[in-house]
Every structure is written in C-alpha cells, then in structure tokens.
Amino acid sequence: MLDAAVRIFGQRGYMAASMDEIAELAGVSKPLVYLYLNSKDDLFSACIRREARALTEAVRAGVCPGLPADGQLWSGLRAFFTHTARNPDAWRVLHLHARTHGERFAAEVAAMREDIVAFVTQLIAAAARDAHRRPHLPEGEVAGLAEALVGAAESLADWAGATEGVTAKQAAATLMNFAWAGLGDLMAGRPWVAPEDPQADPEQAPVAPSVPAAQAG
Amino acid sequence: MLDAAVRIFGQRGYMAASMDEIAELAGVSKPLVYLYLNSKDDLFSACIRREARALTEAVRAGVCPGLPADGQLWSGLRAFFTHTARNPDAWRVLHLHARTHGERFAAEVAAMREDIVAFVTQLIAAAARDAHRRPHLPEGEVAGLAEALVGAAESLADWAGATEGVTAKQAAATLMNFAWAGLGDLMAGRPWVAPEDPQADPEQAPVAPSVPAAQAG
Amino acid sequence: MLDAAVRIFGQRGYMAASMDEIAELAGVSKPLVYLYLNSKDDLFSACIRREARALTEAVRAGVCPGLPADGQLWSGLRAFFTHTARNPDAWRVLHLHARTHGERFAAEVAAMREDIVAFVTQLIAAAARDAHRRPHLPEGEVAGLAEALVGAAESLADWAGATEGVTAKQAAATLMNFAWAGLGDLMAGRPWVAPEDPQADPEQAPVAPSVPAAQAG
Amino acid sequence: MLDAAVRIFGQRGYMAASMDEIAELAGVSKPLVYLYLNSKDDLFSACIRREARALTEAVRAGVCPGLPADGQLWSGLRAFFTHTARNPDAWRVLHLHARTHGERFAAEVAAMREDIVAFVTQLIAAAARDAHRRPHLPEGEVAGLAEALVGAAESLADWAGATEGVTAKQAAATLMNFAWAGLGDLMAGRPWVAPEDPQADPEQAPVAPSVPAAQAG
DNA sequence: AATGAATGAGCTTTCATTCAT
DNA sequence: GATGAATGAAAGCTCATTCAT
C-alpha cells in the first residue's frame, strides 16, 4: 500500500496526488487507506520515513568498513547512486516533494540527511587524521565540506536519473573525482586561495532576505 | 504583484498556493490578478521567467571578466550565493517548485540552468587550457564535472539559506575549496583513482528502476 | 449600440452574452453602456422593445388594407417572414431568448404577440363575415385558431431561418396552403369531426403538471 | 435527481441554472450530482435524452395504429399535448432551452424532432393515398406541411401550457381543425391560390440577413 | 475487516457593476 | 461626457474525509 503511495507521490507531488488514485493503484478501497494510515499527511509521512530508512540502510550496507576513507566514501556513493537510480519515485519523494511541502516533512528528511552528513563528516575527519599531519582543515570547515559533498551527490542523483545512459558507477566516479581530488589537496594543506578583494565586502554579514514591498499592483 | 506571487509560491509551492492568498498579500483583489496575468499557470510562468532572468543577470554581472578562470568562478559563485540568499523565495520557486510541477515549467528553468552550466563548462575548459599542458581532462568528463559543480552550488544555496550565520562569501569559499582544489588536481593530471573492484559489478549497465509491486494492500 | 446588443444577445442568449463583448462590438466603453442603459436587464429590455416594435410595424406596413381577408393575411405573412429572415438575431432574441429568461421579458414579448394575434383574430372573424353565412365558427374557437396560425408562423420562421434556400415567399405560401385552405373549410361549415371516443377521457379537465418527487437521489 | 435538474433547467434555462440549486432541490449535495453525472453539460444532456425519449414514447404509445390517417394524427396529437401539459418543465427544456444553448444539445433535440416529423410526413402521405386519387400534393410540399404541422403543435403546446383552462383535448381539436380540414382541401385538389402579385418581388431570392451596422453608439 | 455512498470546504475563474479621473 | 481600473459575488468543479452497513 505504501508502494502505491510512494509511486503516486513521487510522480505527482503531495498536493496533486489524490487519495483516490493511490487507493486505486494499491487495489484497495479508500477507507482502508484511512484505516491503516490516518490521513494524507500521515500517509506521506509514512512514505518519507520508510524511504528515508531504506536509503540510509542501503548506504550503510554499501559501505565497506575496512577500507581507508576514500574507499569507504567510494563504496557509499555507489550504494547511494544505485539506490536512488533503482527507486526514482522514492528519491523524488525524499529530495523533491518532501522539502516542497511544509516544515513537518522537511524536518523528517532533514533528520535523515544529517545522518548521512554526519557519516561523511566523520569520514573526512578520519581521512585528515590518516594524513598524519597537523590538521590543515579548520574544524568549522569540515561541516561545510560535508554539506557540499552530500549536496553534490544529491544533485548528481537527480542528474543521473534524468540523463539516459549514466550509470550509478559513473556518477559515483565523477563525484569522487570532483570531490576527493579536491579534498585530497585540502587535506594535504593546499587549499585554494581566494584572490585579494579590494572592494568593501557587503556580504560579510549573514545576508538577510530583503522583504519585497507588498504593495506592487 | 509578482513579488507577492513569488513569495507565496516560494513558501507554499504551486499547488498549495491559492490565488486568494496571493491577491491578499499583494493588497489587491483577485480579479485584478486575473486581469494582469491570465491564469494561475501564467502567473507562475511569469514568476519563473522574471526570477530566472534576475538570477542569470545577477551572476553575469557578478563575474569579473579579466580574471583567470578560478577568479571568475569565485566571483560568479559569490554573486550567485548572494542573490539566492537575498531572494530565498525566488530561489525556492526556481530550484524546488518549478521543477516539481509539470514539464512546461521545468523546461523554463532547465533553459536557465543550461545557461549557467555552459558558462561553467567553458570556465573549466579555459582553466585546462591555461594549465599549458596536454588536456588531462577527457572531453566527456567536463560535462559531468560542470553538472556536479552547479549541483553542489545549488545544494549549498539551499543549505546556506537554511542555516543561520552562513554568509554568501563563506558558502562560495567552501565550494571553491571543495571544487577548485579538486579540479586543480584533475587538471594537473592527478585524478582520484578508484580502488580495484574484485566483485562482479551489477551497476555497470544503466540501472532500470525496479517497478514496485502494485498490489501491496 | 442596441444593434450590437441585439446581435450578441441573439447569438449567445441573455446569460451567455457578456457586457464586455457588447461594448466591444459597439465600439464604446462599458461604462458608457451603463450610462445610457442602466443594467444588463434594461439593455435586454430595450432590445426587446425595439425589435418588437420593429416587427409589428413591419407586419402592419406589409398588410394591404383593401384586400379581402386572405389577401391581407398573405401580405402580412410575407412581411413577417421577410422581416424575420432579414433580422435573424432580432428574431432569435424575441422568439427564443426573451421567452427563455424570466417573466419580465416574456411578458414584454407576450404583449407584442397579442397585438399580432388580435390582428389575425380580426382577420379570421372578418373572413367569416365575408362568407355571408351564419357564423359556423364558435366564438371561443377563433382565439385558438389565431394562436395556431401565429404559432405555425413562428415555427416556420425558425425553420426558414435554419433551412438553406427557403424564401420568405415560399414559407408564406406553405403556411397559407396549410392554414387558409383549412380555415376556408371551417368557415364554410365543414369542420373536421373527431371520431367517437369510447374510453373515459382523463384529459377533459385542465391538466395539472404532476410534480416530480423531490427526493430522488 | 434528474427530476430536479429538469425542473430547474426548465424554469431557469441552462446558463441561469446553478448546480447548487439543482442539488438542493434534489435533496442531495453538489458533489453527488457530479458523481453520478459528470458535469453540467452531461447533466443537461441526460435531461434532454430522458425527456426526448419520454415524449416520443408517449406519442408513439398514444397513436392508435388501426385508424385512418386523421384518426392516428388525432390520437397522436392528444398524447402529445397531454404529455407536454403534464411535463411543462420537460417541454421547456426540449423546446426552449435545448435549442438555445449550443449545437450539441440542439442536435439531440433535432433528432427527436425528425422522428416525429417523419411520422407525420408518412401520415400525410398515407392520407393522400387513401384519397384514391392522383396525388395532388407535390412531393416536395409534404415536407413543408409536416414542418408547419409540427411547428403549430409545438407552439400550441406552449400556448396551452401558458393559458389557464385549455385542455389537451381542446388543443388537439383546435389543431386538427386548423390542420386537417386544410390538409383535406389540399389533398382534394383545392389548394389555396395566391392572388396576382403585380409588384416586383424582392423576396424571390433567398433573403440574406442585413448585417446591422456595428458602430451605433 | 472492508466499503459504497456521501459531503463540507475550498479552489480557479468569470462577470455585472462602479468609482476616480 | 467618457473611461481605465478595480471588485463583490457567485459559479463549476474537486478532494480529503467520514459514516452506515
């Protein structure tokens, strides 16, 4: 029954998906759906939880624990891209629709995401330790790098899903090239250095969104 | 009037946004919205077009043409993160909602995106030329790398928008570190190398999504 | 300005006609229409009155007063069919739409109609007198016959308007054949005689519409 | 449920009838109406079909097959007037509103009407044969006469419905007198003869509607 | 345990009608 | 005198949700 829901939600989005359609695809009657899962919100939530768990477990199961950090990352990425490619609707639910509709769902996905980010963060830290040097990476930077890596992975998953003929392995390799070579340099103490910035820098402070004037008609 | 629409669409998404709400926020009556912009679809489309143009122009205006490739990328990224941070609803419309609701809108955003991808691609190629070496980057790989870079930027924009205290400059710096140091290695002929893969490799072929069983109830 | 209104009302009907369309076709702005004619109702009413007057005057002008009764009827019918054929929208307004929408308008048309019925009634009576015989037509019957004749004329006007290649003269001739030959027999004392009716006759009393049961779902 | 629809449609017309009103009169909620009959159009169509069938069947059932032509016509007319008098809203839907709103509905009614016209045509032809004479009626004329008869019947139905104290039997008798006595003469070779027409005859050719000047304000 | 039948609430869209100018 | 600009009110239609069975 959740399968049907994931499929419909993945293809239509939360709002455009109708309970009728889901019930029909599941081959059951609508009241039954309400009996098992109380409401559309709860149904969506259940989908998110199930698929979030499935994705994290797929990644965790794919990581080979004994390897060095890059090998672990490589294996994890391959598992990630494989899973998202095999469950495109689930991936759309998690990455697209859950973030699109309401704080509650976004939070559920964010929890899963932080799981993965934490794992990657620890990988990066471990790699830095392995380098047997003074930590060239400031602590605070690691979080941003992990975010970037995970974000790039997510985008590449979308891209691989939308582009014919891109395998999970290729996507993983592209990302490893893009990321690890760069991380490698960073960890070896060769960061990219910003050029001089002669002008005053208005973006120094956290940017506040400028509220557009409400009266525009 | 479009301002209000962007704000509502950005927060609620296309389907959950109601014309009532948009009109109210704009301070006008609903029929007026229909007088100026013919329908909900057209209104959404107008929002997308306006914001897509605003974003591309902001990036283009932010790039400093005389600099070397990494300097150009750096300045472009800063403009990008600044713009998205200042217009979070616009960014949500473009990156989240437009891709979620229907081919027509997705296509309008895809056009904008390809603009940017093309710009980045050319930057990468230029950087490779500047290295005065034999091209160590296979041609086909550049497209994937540009995708990864743009995707990472998009994800970091989301992240910066959602995380307190991250400035546009910091986001840009993180991404430059993550990407350019890596690209630098790549262009210097030091790609990351995948470890041996002893097992059979089921992901070699393009993955086909396994259709979930329809009968699950 | 009324011309435009008649045209639009004739083609679309009262409800489907929009004041926008009428104003546009008239080449003026909408508030001007409201300045001259206070509301949609009044505009429709004005159309009806103008066209009703035009029709009655056309018929009156077409009748040749010196002729015997059948000659007068013949000339009147030709004028009638000619006018309706030349002003199809006006005819549709009077015969179709005015009777379709609300008591008020129906009453205005009914007044015009009674004008004509009265004229025909008097013609029939005159013809009966001309026959130099005892009146074979009971008084009460004349009204019904006049109704039938006018009704047949109206229907034939619709038919002639909808059928290619039927001239006003042909329509008039068909109706004269149909009606006068019959009336001639009647006035000559040779009415059609109903066959014996052995069963009880439930329609003797004025029929009351059977109210359908309201609860049918 | 259709009963309520026929009643509302008959009184208000297609456009002025609201689904709310129909549902309320039917004693059900609006969505239920949409569940059973998909749209306002379909609902109207269903009304037309039901009432058209009911009317034709009532007429067919009322005709006594063994009688001579005039007797059959007499019985058919009585059934017709009885049915229309008993179902005034249905009659308004068929005769007034269905022809007023759109080709699709007009066509459905036209089909029913042609049924009846064909029946009458055949009756007239049979009567002419029964007269044991050379056919005095030119073939082409029969169509026009049948039209006139049916049209007169329709108009008389309206009239009988609008006039207090007119029974179905009286309406039928009036029409028989009006029509059959006339047809009798025609079939006996005594048509009405048009007087000489000394003037030029502008209506000889099929009349073309004079387009009213659009600019009148 | 399972559903056919039903609905309240809300959506997009339209249109007769009116001011401020 | 004439109108561009604006709106209140209502219509068709949909859907998440619930009883009675």
Side-chain angles (χ1 to χ4, degrees):
Chain A
M1 190 146 72
L2 284 177
D3 289 331
V6 168
R7 210 147 104 188
I8 299 290
F9 280 136
Q11 278 161 13
R12 301 252 191 289
Y14 177 81
M15 292 281 332
S18 92
M19 297 297 271
D20 281 285
E21 212 176 357
I22 291 172
E24 191 188 15
L25 180 59
V28 299
S29 73
K30 225 180 343 172
L32 198 59
V33 180
Y34 279 88
L35 191 66
Y36 281 73
L37 299 143
N38 281 325
S39 67
K40 199 187 186 182
D41 264 39
D42 286 0
L43 173 56
F44 195 48
S45 216
C47 290
I48 291 174
R49 272 198 289 272
R50 192 183 74 158
E51 296 304 333
R53 166 179 294 266
L55 176 55
T56 42
E57 287 188 351
V59 171
R60 235 185 278 276
V63 172
C64 308
L67 300 183
D70 65 337
Q72 287 194 37
L73 183 58
W74 164 243
S75 54
L77 283 178
R78 282 184 48 189
F80 173 77
F81 286 118
T82 302
H83 186 86
T84 55
R86 287 213 171 121
N87 303 76
D89 291 325
W91 176 241
R92 286 175 61 86
V93 165
L94 290 177
H95 185 52
L96 227 44
H97 303 307
R99 316 185 91 166
T100 298
H101 193 261
E103 287 303 314
R104 178 183 166 197
F105 306 120
E108 303 199 38
V109 171
M112 168 201 77
R113 202 173 186 277
E114 271 167 36
D115 236 42
I116 299 188
V117 169
F119 171 68
V120 173
T121 304
Q122 154 216 332
L123 270 193
I124 295 177
R129 269 197 314 280
D130 290 354
H132 289 298
R133 309 197 177 181
R134 298 185 304 282
H136 293 280
L137 279 175
E139 281 299 311
E141 190 74 359
V142 176
L145 291 174
E147 274 294 336
L149 205 167
V150 171
E154 288 169 343
S155 286
L156 276 178
D158 288 348
W159 176 68
T163 311
E164 291 293 313
V166 176
T167 69
K169 191 176 181 181
Q170 285 166 9
T174 295
L175 183 52
M176 283 303 290
N177 253 330
F178 182 70
W180 201 254
L183 290 176
D185 260 9
L186 286 179
M187 290 178 302
R190 295 190 299 273
W192 174 85
V193 177
E196 294 296 317
D197 195 1
Q199 323 128 356
D201 204 342
E203 298 89 5
Q204 201 75 277
V207 283
S210 64
V211 177
Q215 183 78 25
Chain B
M1 193 145 68
L2 283 176
D3 290 330
V6 168
R7 217 150 96 189
I8 299 291
F9 280 137
Q11 277 160 15
R12 300 258 189 285
Y14 178 82
M15 295 247 33
S18 93
M19 296 299 270
D20 278 289
E21 211 175 359
I22 291 172
E24 192 186 16
L25 179 59
V28 298
S29 74
K30 219 180 352 169
L32 198 60
V33 180
Y34 279 89
L35 191 67
Y36 282 77
L37 300 143
N38 284 323
S39 68
K40 199 184 184 183
D41 260 42
D42 285 3
L43 174 56
F44 195 47
S45 210
C47 290
I48 291 174
R49 270 200 289 273
R50 192 182 75 156
E51 297 304 334
R53 165 180 293 265
L55 176 55
T56 42
E57 286 188 351
V59 171
R60 232 185 279 275
V63 171
C64 309
L67 302 182
D70 64 337
Q72 288 193 35
L73 183 58
W74 164 242
S75 53
L77 283 178
R78 282 185 49 191
F80 173 78
F81 286 118
T82 302
H83 186 88
T84 55
R86 287 210 171 124
N87 304 79
D89 291 323
W91 175 242
R92 283 176 63 86
V93 166
L94 289 178
H95 184 52
L96 229 43
H97 304 306
R99 314 184 93 165
T100 300
H101 190 262
E103 285 303 314
R104 178 183 163 198
F105 306 120
E108 300 198 41
V109 171
M112 171 200 75
R113 199 174 188 277
E114 272 168 35
D115 236 43
I116 299 187
V117 169
F119 172 68
V120 172
T121 304
Q122 154 216 334
L123 273 191
I124 296 178
R129 268 200 312 281
D130 289 354
H132 288 299
R133 309 196 179 183
R134 296 187 305 282
H136 292 282
L137 280 174
E139 282 299 311
E141 190 74 1
V142 176
L145 292 173
E147 272 294 336
L149 204 168
V150 170
E154 289 168 343
S155 287
L156 275 179
D158 289 349
W159 174 70
T163 310
E164 291 296 312
V166 175
T167 68
K169 191 176 183 181
Q170 285 166 10
T174 296
L175 184 50
M176 281 305 289
N177 257 329
F178 182 68
W180 201 255
L183 290 176
D185 260 9
L186 285 180
M187 291 180 299
R190 296 190 297 272
W192 175 86
V193 177
E196 293 296 317
D197 195 2
Q199 321 127 357
D201 205 342
E203 297 88 6
Q204 201 74 280
V207 284
S210 65
V211 177
Q215 183 80 23
Chain C
M1 191 146 71
L2 284 177
D3 290 330
V6 168
R7 209 145 105 189
I8 299 290
F9 280 136
Q11 278 161 13
R12 299 252 191 290
Y14 177 81
M15 293 281 328
S18 92
M19 297 296 272
D20 281 285
E21 211 176 356
I22 291 173
E24 191 188 15
L25 180 59
V28 298
S29 75
K30 225 181 342 173
L32 198 59
V33 180
Y34 278 88
L35 190 68
Y36 280 74
L37 299 143
N38 280 325
S39 68
K40 198 187 186 184
D41 264 39
D42 286 0
L43 174 57
F44 194 47
S45 218
C47 290
I48 291 174
R49 270 200 289 273
R50 193 183 75 157
E51 296 304 334
R53 167 180 292 267
L55 176 55
T56 42
E57 286 187 354
V59 171
R60 233 185 278 277
V63 172
C64 308
L67 301 182
D70 66 336
Q72 287 193 37
L73 183 58
W74 164 242
S75 54
L77 283 178
R78 283 184 47 189
F80 174 77
F81 286 119
T82 302
H83 186 87
T84 55
R86 287 211 170 121
N87 303 76
D89 290 326
W91 176 241
R92 284 173 64 86
V93 166
L94 290 177
H95 185 52
L96 227 45
H97 303 307
R99 315 186 91 169
T100 296
H101 192 261
E103 286 302 314
R104 177 182 166 198
F105 306 121
E108 302 199 40
V109 170
M112 169 200 76
R113 202 172 185 277
E114 271 167 35
D115 235 42
I116 298 187
V117 168
F119 171 67
V120 171
T121 305
Q122 154 215 331
L123 271 192
I124 296 177
R129 268 199 313 282
D130 291 353
H132 290 298
R133 308 199 179 179
R134 297 185 306 284
H136 292 283
L137 280 175
E139 281 301 311
E141 191 72 0
V142 176
L145 291 174
E147 274 294 338
L149 205 167
V150 171
E154 289 168 343
S155 286
L156 276 178
D158 287 350
W159 176 68
T163 311
E164 291 293 313
V166 175
T167 69
K169 192 176 181 181
Q170 284 166 11
T174 295
L175 184 50
M176 283 303 290
N177 253 331
F178 182 68
W180 201 255
L183 290 176
D185 259 8
L186 286 180
M187 289 179 302
R190 296 190 299 271
W192 175 83
V193 177
E196 294 296 317
D197 195 0
Q199 321 127 356
D201 204 342
E203 298 88 7
Q204 202 73 280
V207 284
S210 64
V211 177
Q215 183 79 25
Chain D
M1 194 144 68
L2 283 177
D3 291 330
V6 168
R7 218 150 95 190
I8 299 290
F9 280 138
Q11 278 160 15
R12 299 257 191 287
Y14 177 82
M15 295 251 24
S18 92
M19 296 298 271
D20 279 288
E21 210 177 0
I22 291 173
E24 191 187 16
L25 179 60
V28 297
S29 71
K30 215 178 359 168
L32 198 59
V33 180
Y34 279 90
L35 191 66
Y36 282 75
L37 300 142
N38 284 323
S39 67
K40 198 184 185 185
D41 260 40
D42 285 1
L43 174 56
F44 194 48
S45 210
C47 290
I48 291 174
R49 269 200 288 273
R50 192 182 74 157
E51 297 304 334
R53 166 179 291 265
L55 176 54
T56 43
E57 286 188 353
V59 170
R60 233 186 279 276
V63 172
C64 309
L67 301 182
D70 64 337
Q72 287 194 37
L73 183 58
W74 165 242
S75 54
L77 284 178
R78 283 185 48 192
F80 174 77
F81 286 117
T82 301
H83 186 87
T84 55
R86 285 209 171 123
N87 303 78
D89 290 325
W91 174 241
R92 284 175 63 85
V93 166
L94 290 177
H95 184 52
L96 230 44
H97 303 307
R99 313 184 93 165
T100 299
H101 190 261
E103 286 303 313
R104 178 184 163 198
F105 306 120
E108 300 199 41
V109 171
M112 171 199 76
R113 199 173 187 276
E114 271 168 35
D115 237 40
I116 299 188
V117 169
F119 172 67
V120 172
T121 304
Q122 156 216 332
L123 273 192
I124 295 178
R129 269 200 311 280
D130 291 352
H132 286 299
R133 308 197 180 181
R134 298 185 304 282
H136 292 283
L137 280 175
E139 283 298 312
E141 191 73 1
V142 175
L145 291 174
E147 273 293 337
L149 205 167
V150 170
E154 289 169 343
S155 287
L156 276 179
D158 287 350
W159 173 69
T163 311
E164 291 293 314
V166 175
T167 68
K169 192 176 181 180
Q170 285 166 11
T174 295
L175 183 51
M176 282 303 290
N177 257 329
F178 182 68
W180 201 255
L183 290 177
D185 259 9
L186 285 180
M187 290 180 298
R190 295 191 299 272
W192 176 84
V193 176
E196 294 296 318
D197 195 0
Q199 323 127 356
D201 205 341
E203 298 88 6
Q204 202 73 280
V207 285
S210 64
V211 176
Q215 182 80 24

